Amino acid sequence: MTRSLTYSTLNHTFTFFQLRRKPLMDTLQKNWAGKWALVTGASAGIGRELATLLASSGTNLVLTARRRERLDELAATLRAKHSVRVRSEERRVGKE
């Protein structure tokens, strides 16, 4: 029996562990190319990987995190490598 984790957005449901990279990239390119996505925690870990995946599918990004230097480095890399528009904001998202 394969267990899966389901992630839902307003218009799409992705089931992880059942999607391979190619179908996931096809879905992202079809549904997100040319649109904007906000990625929090983009300076490291899952946030950084999600930003890279979205940029590789043609999604423009607004990146937020606490570490300005890492954000600026990632933004420059994604712009150069994937020709997408990227804004970076040093912000802490969560409890005030």
Side-chain angles (χ1 to χ4, degrees):
M1 177 178 180
T2 302
R3 298 184 79 161
S4 64
L5 170 68
T6 301
Y7 171 74
S8 296
T9 64
L10 292 176
N11 298 316
H12 308 287
T13 301
F14 300 103
T15 303
F16 295 96
F17 307 126
Q18 293 179 344
L19 289 176
R20 301 231 190 281
R21 184 167 175 80
K22 174 81 168 103
L24 177 59
M25 290 305 295
D26 290 345
T27 299
L28 287 174
Q29 288 173 342
K30 178 182 172 187
N31 296 310
W32 287 94
K35 296 181 181 176
W36 285 87
L38 169 66
V39 180
T40 60
S43 64
I46 294 171
R48 184 180 183 97
E49 292 302 316
L50 179 60
T52 302
L53 184 64
L54 286 167
S56 70
S57 71
T59 306
N60 300 308
L61 301 169
V62 177
L63 307 176
T64 66
R66 294 175 292 158
R67 299 179 195 120
R68 180 55 144 178
E69 299 81 23
R70 288 185 183 187
L71 278 178
D72 290 342
E73 176 188 315
L74 177 61
T77 300
L78 296 177
R79 281 186 203 108
K81 188 172 182 181
H82 302 292
S83 301
V84 294
R85 295 171 62 192
V86 182
R87 292 191 57 206
S88 58
E89 299 285 333
E90 182 179 359
R91 302 240 179 225
R92 182 184 174 109
V93 179
K95 284 185 165 180
E96 290 295 319

